[in-house]
Amino acid sequence: MVITKELIRQKYVEYNHLYFNNELPRCKFSVYNTKEELGLYTRDSIWIARYPKNLSKTAVWTEELFKEVLIHEMVHHYVVAVKNKRSFLCPHGWRFRRKCRELKRLHNINVEIGVFIRRYAVLRQQPHLTLLNRVELVGLRFCNYLLGWVF
């Protein structure tokens, strides 16, 4: 899957209609090269990494991973643009988590939160997980859950 501004724009319009009831205003879209984040939200812009280099040397964007990352950034945009709340200290605060829970409840979309998303994404791309990898995957989800309650 090749990430382009046009692809981000198309999926943004589609997901805004399907999951956000067209509440999200327009924003800018960018594609960038990075070794750190898969996606980034800054004020009124959504940035998606061209290549997910931080996952592994052989990782590629899948439709599922792209959707998860874009919706994660759209939730940030929702909190800032619709709810008019900015959270510099804790961008994954209770408003962000509330919207994520709503998406899970209404549309069965699991938006991952936290510092463990990169390793989680690597494990999810592997076709066959060892028992140790499965335990690690469950542990990562549990850590994200705990972080959600702390912040």
Side-chain angles (χ1 to χ4, degrees):
M1 172 179 232
V2 178
I3 305 299
T4 64
K5 285 170 119 176
E6 187 55 37
L7 175 66
I8 299 170
R9 189 180 337 278
Q10 287 174 346
K11 292 300 183 176
Y12 178 89
V13 170
E14 178 185 335
Y15 299 157
N16 189 16
H17 176 71
L18 290 173
Y19 308 124
F20 294 90
N21 299 319
N22 290 320
E23 288 184 281
L24 295 178
R26 288 185 169 184
C27 68
K28 299 173 191 167
F29 306 103
S30 295
V31 179
Y32 69 114
N33 296 318
T34 181
K35 292 184 181 179
E36 298 302 319
E37 299 92 7
L38 296 175
L40 182 68
Y41 176 75
T42 58
R43 199 169 176 123
D44 65 345
S45 299
I46 292 177
W47 301 67
I48 303 292
R50 184 177 313 278
Y51 309 105
K53 295 177 184 176
N54 56 336
L55 297 181
S56 74
K57 291 181 180 178
T58 59
V60 294
W61 279 107
T62 63
E63 183 72 34
E64 181 184 345
L65 181 59
F66 174 75
K67 179 179 180 179
E68 186 176 319
V69 170
L70 181 56
I71 289 177
H72 178 109
E73 303 311 329
M74 290 173 75
V75 173
H76 283 298
H77 188 46
Y78 173 84
V79 171
V80 171
V82 176
K83 295 299 183 183
N84 200 25
K85 300 292 180 187
R86 297 179 192 262
S87 179
F88 299 109
L89 296 176
C90 185
H92 300 123
W94 67 269
R95 288 179 186 89
F96 182 92
R97 291 191 319 273
R98 177 189 286 169
K99 186 62 178 176
C100 291
R101 284 192 299 270
E102 179 185 313
L103 289 170
K104 174 76 172 174
R105 187 179 74 249
L106 297 177
H107 304 289
N108 199 28
I109 295 174
N110 189 29
V111 179
E112 290 297 324
I113 305 169
V115 296
F116 306 110
I117 192 167
R118 285 189 282 275
R119 181 64 184 150
Y120 176 78
V122 169
L123 290 174
R124 284 195 22 212
Q125 285 191 355
Q126 294 178 1
H128 304 289
L129 294 176
T130 65
L131 179 60
L132 185 60
N133 289 142
R134 289 176 197 266
V135 170
E136 183 181 5
L137 194 57
V138 170
L140 291 174
R141 290 191 141 207
F142 182 69
C143 287
N144 281 331
Y145 174 79
L146 288 179
L147 283 174
W149 282 104
V150 172
F151 294 103

